[in-house]
Amino acid sequence: MCGIVGYVGGREVVALLIEGLRRLEYRGYDSAGVVVRGPEGLIASKAEGKLDRLVDKLEREPLTGSFGLGHTRWATHGAPNERNAHPVLDARRRVAVIHNGIIENFLQLKTELIAAGWEFETDTDTEVVANLISSLYDGDDLRGAVDAARKRFEGMYAFAVMATRREEIVATRQGPPLVVGLGEAENFLASDPAALLTYTRDVIFLDNAELALLTPRGVEIWDAQGHPVERAAQRLNWDPIQVEKGGYKHFMLKEIHEQPQALQDTFGGRVDFELARVEFDDIGFEGSLGESEVRRVHLLACGTSLHAALVGKFLIEELARIPVEVDYGSEYRYRDPIVEPATLAVGVSQSGETADTLSAMGAARERGASLLAICNVANSQATRISDGVILTHAGPEIGVASTKAFTTQLVALFLLAVRLRQARGMETAAEELAALAHLPQAIDETLALEPKIDQLARRFFRAEDFLYLGRGINYPIALEGALKLKEISYIHAEGYTAGEMKHGPIALIDEDLPVVMVASGDRVYDKVISNMQEVKARDGIVIAVTDHDAEELAGVADEVIQVPRIHRLLQPIVNVVPLQLLAYFTGVRRGADVDQPRNLAKSVTVE
Ligand code: M6R
């Protein structure tokens, strides 16, 4: 969604804000802007499009001043143009606001403010925030004005406000994240710690409904009732290097290559390989529902994380013999789900911020489920509302297309499945856990296929459509391959279970259609080969991803990507890697902005 950054202190503020926005640009990139306190009041500079447009503008028309706010936008209300870019100033130019989220009752508030004589220049809901705060601001107590105004807002939002009188920033959140960074005679605010890492690793994550006041001298926080909150800072162990491209052309490629280490980090320290047991010291969902009592699992997620959840269903049902339902976060609460006693609802989310997933988790909780989050971002909202958490430890994922977050989610779901199996007193999953130890090596070997996949992209990047087919536990991998290609290259791609091909998609097949088929050595391998024959019989182009000997498919597939074989339940983690690379190289060859694809944002914090 949108990226927020704020600074109070003695540094050159505009450069600092721009550097922070660079780290947050993945959250939204429709427009960007900064505001500082200048000699004659608040001065803002904004530009439509990517951050570089703002940087160019600031080079032509430099801005100087002290303390300030910066914003990078993913448009919700109002077109993504300069007029609607943030920061948004109130009609009297007394306060400046940057905002992430949606004020759902903005129309009603706007009508009231217009009736009271306030003028509006933008189409944003943010301007309601600015004008309402300004209408309540006596020129002295900004915190009081923000506190009073936020009580009128409905929706999910995080915003930060500054005025000219004092060097201070006031910020609050209800839903989307805000983190305060602590420095010496300076303090920072951001929607994501990635923006702060160059300056500080000592941070405080704001809770919902808290309000923070930042000055160079310190940070004060109050809860919804106005009581002061004492919370010690925590030290982030993220390395600033992790949010750099590290020699790669794009974050996406870097993150694809980080997978062997990321997967190792997901299971490292959590598996006793000698005893063939999964030991989580940090899961702790016993609070409301003992692991051995779990009788049903609901997996709730969106996008790529939903595809991980679909694989998770196979893992949990097969390893722990517990029935699993998988739901889109955006659908779950609207279908009045049946939550039986002893249901564990698991929110799967890289960011832990996705509004739809959070709402679904809330709906499961209301109906009596215990909540577990499988999440990459510690302290995110998903982790805070859950009884237990399995952090995926993938490290920061900056590329908008999820790659290492996906494969680490699969490992986390595998660990959960084994853990539930153990809790039920079933036989140890010795073979599966032994295979897990080889997974990073298998991914390393798969990455060595990169030149071949680049060549494949060269052959097919002009195609207008792609079909992805898989079966069983590899069906969600077909969905994920198609999603990656769509996101990164804007080529229309569909994922289907191979068995469904004959019920409709077969009509699409002709000599121009590349069909990517995941043909793993599991129980449906032979069936997938039959499906390949059906594609070939209709002149389709078959690109096979297989752990079988490439020779076996020589007569039936046009192109074969042979990946290392691992245990059947872990094979999807290997199989998805060539599909990530295919999407990446296809996107690059088509000249697409693979790290920041059009219309997307890394985390979608609105419904
Ligand atoms: O942060 P989350 O995992 O909750 O995000 C869910 C989806 O928005 C996300 O996976 C999205 O589909 C990605 N762009 C996929 O690459």
Side-chain angles (χ1 to χ4, degrees):
M1 206 85 308
C2 304
I4 284 178
V5 58
Y7 176 72
V8 278
R11 299 189 201 227
E12 214 291 89
V13 63
V14 175
L16 185 145
L17 294 174
I18 295 293
E19 189 183 326
L21 291 178
R22 281 244 177 265
R23 305 250 188 255
L24 297 181
E25 207 185 1
Y26 70 90
R27 296 180 70 90
Y29 32 84
D30 291 337
S31 61
V34 291
V35 63
V36 295
R37 178 179 65 184
E40 286 165 16
L42 298 169
I43 8 172
S45 182
K46 314 187 218 186
E48 180 180 336
K50 298 262 175 106
L51 185 60
D52 281 339
R53 303 268 297 270
L54 177 67
V55 173
D56 289 347
K57 186 173 177 183
L58 286 166
E59 269 170 24
R60 290 192 309 275
E61 303 160 21
L63 202 65
T64 48
S66 57
F67 74 105
L69 300 171
H71 188 267
T72 176
R73 178 170 188 243
W74 185 81
T76 59
H77 293 53
N81 55 30
E82 187 175 326
R83 188 168 56 85
N84 290 326
H86 299 203
V88 174
L89 271 61
D90 73 294
R92 296 179 192 163
R93 303 293 184 261
R94 288 155 31 105
V95 302
V97 177
I98 52 175
H99 165 219
N100 176 20
I102 291 181
I103 306 295
E104 286 172 358
N105 59 337
F106 89 102
L107 267 180
Q108 176 208 328
L109 294 171
K110 189 169 177 174
T111 310
E112 282 176 30
L113 285 160
I114 290 172
W118 289 84
E119 286 174 7
F120 284 78
E121 291 174 4
T122 76
D123 311 311
T124 65
D125 51 346
T126 310
E127 202 172 7
V128 164
V129 180
N131 277 340
L132 185 61
I133 291 171
S134 182
S135 73
L136 298 164
Y137 180 44
D138 61 4
D140 182 46
D141 180 12
L142 183 62
R143 175 196 146 203
V146 173
D147 194 28
R150 70 179 174 142
K151 296 192 169 110
R152 306 271 337 262
F153 299 141
E154 290 167 16
M156 306 275 269
Y157 53 79
F159 62 81
V161 189
M162 61 184 268
T164 48
R165 183 175 166 117
R166 293 202 188 88
E167 183 164 352
E168 64 185 17
I169 292 171
V170 182
T172 187
R173 62 168 286 230
Q174 184 65 47
L178 279 180
V179 57
V180 171
L182 306 177
E184 289 286 323
E186 59 181 357
N187 288 298
F188 310 82
L189 178 79
S191 38
D192 182 323
L196 309 179
L197 288 178
T198 314
Y199 306 104
T200 180
R201 288 201 224 166
D202 295 323
V203 299
I204 298 175
F205 290 89
L206 290 188
D207 266 338
N208 264 344
E210 285 181 346
L211 186 142
L213 174 70
L214 286 76
T215 69
R217 296 167 301 288
V219 174
E220 290 174 86
I221 301 173
W222 294 268
D223 67 15
Q225 287 71 44
H227 304 126
V229 173
E230 294 296 330
R231 186 172 311 132
Q234 37 178 297
R235 178 150 272 245
L236 293 174
N237 58 7
W238 287 8
D239 184 335
I241 300 299
Q242 287 182 295
V243 291
E244 306 286 349
K245 284 188 196 148
Y248 287 92
K249 197 168 166 210
H250 296 101
F251 279 111
M252 182 179 177
L253 188 59
K254 174 179 176 244
E255 288 158 5
I256 289 173
H257 278 267
E258 282 172 347
Q259 289 178 111
Q261 186 59 52
L263 297 169
Q264 178 72 51
D265 293 345
T266 309
F267 68 76
R270 288 167 162 174
V271 180
D272 184 328
F273 286 103
E274 266 178 34
L275 295 179
R277 284 187 69 78
V278 171
E279 306 290 354
F280 277 106
D281 287 339
D282 49 347
I283 182 171
F285 64 79
E286 296 81 0
S288 38
L289 179 66
E291 284 168 51
S292 59
E293 293 157 10
V294 175
R295 290 292 167 267
R296 301 222 163 239
V297 175
H298 289 190
L299 297 175
L300 310 170
C302 299
T304 287
S305 299
L306 188 278
H307 299 154
L310 289 169
V311 176
K313 175 179 168 73
F314 282 88
L315 297 173
I316 296 169
E317 291 191 339
E318 181 159 340
L319 287 168
R321 307 305 297 156
I322 297 174
V324 179
E325 282 183 39
V326 181
D327 262 277
Y328 288 104
S330 52
E331 291 293 325
Y332 186 74
R333 72 181 151 147
Y334 295 111
R335 72 170 175 82
D336 196 9
I338 299 165
V339 177
E340 293 182 6
T343 295
L344 177 68
V346 185
V348 185
S349 174
Q350 186 283 133
S351 61
E353 289 181 41
T354 303
D356 288 326
T357 303
L358 293 172
S359 302
M361 292 169 79
R365 159 84 84 212
E366 272 168 29
R367 290 164 173 79
S370 286
L371 280 190
L372 177 71
I374 291 184
C375 193
N376 190 34
V377 180
N379 280 297
S380 59
Q381 188 65 4
T383 67
R384 284 152 178 263
I385 62 172
S386 296
D387 305 306
V389 177
I390 303 177
L391 289 176
T392 50
H393 296 309
E397 190 179 67
I398 309 289
V400 165
S402 197
T403 53
K404 63 176 179 169
F406 176 68
T407 47
T408 54
Q409 285 168 346
L410 295 184
V411 169
L413 284 157
F414 172 80
L415 296 178
L416 173 65
V418 176
R419 173 92 178 210
L420 291 170
R421 176 185 176 95
Q422 285 168 198
R424 306 195 81 196
M426 296 163 72
E427 193 190 332
T428 55
E431 201 190 322
E432 290 82 354
L433 284 171
L436 183 64
H438 298 290
L439 182 62
Q441 175 65 27
I443 302 293
D444 243 340
E445 289 168 22
T446 311
L447 290 169
L449 297 168
E450 190 174 304
K452 178 178 173 71
I453 296 166
D454 189 12
Q455 285 309 308
L456 273 183
R458 187 186 181 142
R459 176 170 170 197
F460 293 112
F461 77 98
R462 289 196 184 85
E464 287 177 7
D465 304 281
F466 266 71
L467 190 60
Y468 285 72
L469 302 174
R471 270 189 106 140
I473 196 168
N474 284 297
Y475 155 56
I477 298 307
L479 295 180
E480 176 59 9
L483 177 64
K484 282 290 87 86
L485 192 75
K486 273 185 267 214
E487 282 186 297
I488 297 307
S489 70
Y490 316 139
I491 294 176
H492 168 243
E494 297 218 32
Y496 259 92
T497 124
E500 276 293 295
M501 184 181 73
K502 57 188 174 294
H503 298 291
I506 198 163
L508 296 172
I509 293 171
D510 63 15
E511 64 281 3
D512 295 324
L513 184 77
V515 184
V516 180
M517 304 192 71
V518 186
S520 271
D522 57 17
R523 36 183 97 141
V524 286
Y525 176 71
D526 291 340
K527 311 264 178 215
V528 177
I529 301 304
S530 304
N531 297 136
M532 265 184 211
Q533 303 277 12
E534 288 157 13
V535 174
K536 279 317 298 169
R538 285 154 187 88
D539 293 333
I541 306 158
V542 173
I543 303 168
V545 174
T546 185
D547 55 325
H548 278 239
D549 194 329
E551 296 294 309
E552 273 181 40
L553 299 177
V556 60
D558 297 83
E559 300 281 356
V560 182
I561 304 170
Q562 188 184 335
V563 295
R565 181 175 296 174
I566 197 160
H567 189 282
R568 181 171 58 79
L569 295 180
L570 297 171
Q571 194 67 48
I573 305 176
V574 177
N575 291 345
V576 77
V577 173
L579 305 190
Q580 296 169 340
L581 287 168
L582 183 61
Y584 172 76
F585 285 114
T586 306
V588 169
R589 287 200 178 269
R590 287 172 74 99
D593 186 344
V594 294
D595 277 340
Q596 295 176 349
R598 68 183 180 207
N599 302 337
L600 295 177
K602 183 72 183 160
S603 28
V604 184
T605 54
V606 294
E607 216 194 312

